[in-house]
Amino acid sequence: MEDNRLTPIEPDASRQDGFGSQAGAGPLRFDFPTGNDPHSIRRRIEAMEMILERSMVLPGTNYRIGLDTIVGLVPVIGDIITAAMGSYLVWEARNLGLPKWKLWHMMGRIGIDTAVGSVPIVGDAFDIVYRSNSRNLKTVKKHLDKHHPQTRVIDQ
């Protein structure tokens, strides 16, 4: 099974500098859709959730972790940063027209993740187990599947 939500874009040969690399960019970029349509918002939310919760594998295991776990190792400041990144999902959900009670529920998950995650050691273990952003993505997907069925993607 291949996860192609973050599809790399090959560098444009016409924009190369004298050293064989792109001027002002690395070798690969990622295509985040910029539209306000539900399909673009769904792809952005899925990409952000993947970055925050499942972007790398914990060494020696097959368990996936993300920036939420890594940045959360920095006491208090790291959890505030990941809470701000998780709040982006809620902001996009508001743009989709989710009811206020669902938005509050999503913010509550982020609040629990931030509050418990800021406790040293216990919070780091909690960040590995409790994935607030994955739960929030599930809430948004249910809304999109019900109100915007054309955005549904069949995973293969």
Side-chain angles (χ1 to χ4, degrees):
M1 180 186 321
E2 185 178 322
D3 189 6
N4 59 2
R5 283 178 270 186
L6 290 175
T7 55
I9 299 173
E10 295 300 321
D12 184 12
S14 65
R15 294 189 54 219
Q16 290 186 350
D17 59 12
F19 300 105
S21 63
Q22 271 186 316
L28 292 175
R29 305 182 320 224
F30 290 101
D31 180 28
F32 288 104
T34 57
N36 289 331
D37 58 301
H39 184 67
S40 297
I41 293 173
R42 181 183 190 123
R43 287 191 52 211
R44 281 195 304 265
I45 289 174
E46 287 173 344
M48 180 61 85
E49 184 271 338
M50 191 190 79
I51 290 168
L52 288 173
E53 302 290 0
R54 302 176 288 117
S55 58
M56 57 195 87
V57 177
L58 194 61
T61 68
N62 197 19
Y63 194 78
R64 300 192 68 79
I65 60 173
L67 280 181
D68 188 19
T69 305
I70 301 299
V71 177
L73 293 173
V74 178
V76 183
I77 301 291
D79 292 301
I80 292 171
I81 291 169
T82 57
M85 293 173 74
S87 296
Y88 173 76
L89 299 176
V90 179
W91 180 74
E92 287 284 17
R94 184 187 67 79
N95 290 340
L96 283 172
L98 264 73
K100 286 189 179 188
W101 69 271
K102 285 185 182 179
L103 297 175
W104 281 105
H105 197 110
M106 291 171 70
M107 284 304 292
R109 288 183 189 129
I110 293 171
I112 289 170
D113 190 16
T114 304
V116 177
S118 64
V119 177
I121 300 171
V122 174
D124 299 329
F126 183 75
D127 274 341
I128 291 174
V129 176
Y130 185 75
R131 297 182 174 205
S132 62
N133 299 304
S134 295
R135 294 170 192 233
N136 287 343
L137 175 65
K138 187 176 178 181
T139 300
V140 173
K141 279 184 171 182
K142 280 184 181 179
H143 175 81
L144 283 170
D145 290 347
K146 183 177 180 182
H147 297 286
H148 303 282
Q150 72 276 11
T151 66
R152 206 175 281 168
V153 177
I154 298 173
D155 293 325
Q156 295 182 17

